[in-house]
Amino acid sequence: MRALLLLLLIYPFAEIAALVALADHIGGLAVFLLVVLSSMLGLWMLRHQKLGALLTLGSMMRQGDKVSLYSLLWPLRYALAGVLFLLPGLLSDLAAILLLLPLKGPDIQLRTAPPAPGGGTASGDVIEGEYNRVDEQTPPERRIQ
């Protein structure tokens, strides 16, 4: 717990030191434009995250029964990268770029219920039977117009 607190205290100073060092090499205006552009990229990513999550879900459904853990976490990684791009600084931008790298982890086998002997489901939620639907006529005074 103390290490996390110490890391949170050191992080802003490390970001400022990295920005100052880069500004010394390429100039203050270029660093300012880099920070502004990365913040705009993070804002754009967060606004369009829903579409990315939907496309990721669609591609996972097309893959079949082998799904990667990293592809399941892609919408979360994408949103976290957007937040990191919003933060001004180089270290947060590097962390966001690392989150966006297309890493593939171990595959996860999705368990599917075996088919029941009769074509139904194995979960037992289905009750077979016949029914007749009887629609009662509602009186005209009770009808919603």
Side-chain angles (χ1 to χ4, degrees), residues 20-34:
V20 168
L22 187 65
D24 189 35
H25 288 295
I26 64 171
L29 182 62
V31 171
F32 177 73
L33 289 176
L34 178 71

Side-chain angles (χ1 to χ4, degrees), residues 16-85:
I16 292 170
L19 284 173
V20 168
L22 187 65
D24 189 35
H25 288 295
I26 64 171
L29 182 62
V31 171
F32 177 73
L33 289 176
L34 178 71
V35 168
V36 168
L37 289 176
S38 70
S39 295
M40 289 173 61
L41 176 65
L43 187 64
W44 181 82
M45 287 174 66
L46 289 176
R47 283 189 178 179
H48 293 86
Q49 183 213 3
K50 293 176 188 169
L51 176 65
L54 184 65
L55 292 175
T56 302
L57 182 63
S59 71
M60 285 189 299
M61 297 303 275
R62 284 190 301 270
Q63 284 178 359
D65 59 344
K66 291 228 179 205
V67 177
S68 170
L69 176 65
Y70 292 97
S71 64
L72 285 175
L73 294 177
W74 174 253
L76 179 64
R77 289 172 41 198
Y78 188 82
L80 185 58
V83 169
L84 287 174
F85 273 129

Side-chain angles (χ1 to χ4, degrees), residues 83-97:
V83 169
L84 287 174
F85 273 129
L86 270 176
L87 296 176
L90 296 176
L91 299 178
S92 61
D93 290 350
L94 288 175
I97 290 170

Side-chain angles (χ1 to χ4, degrees), residues 82-133:
V83 169
L84 287 174
F85 273 129
L86 270 176
L87 296 176
L90 296 176
L91 299 178
S92 61
D93 290 350
L94 288 175
I97 290 170
L98 287 176
L99 281 174
L100 292 176
L101 289 178
L103 302 174
K104 181 161 175 24
D107 289 336
I108 299 173
Q109 277 288 36
L110 296 178
R111 294 184 197 172
T112 56
T121 61
S123 64
D125 293 339
V126 177
I127 300 173
E128 294 185 20
E130 295 181 11
Y131 69 93
N132 291 324
R133 184 173 177 168

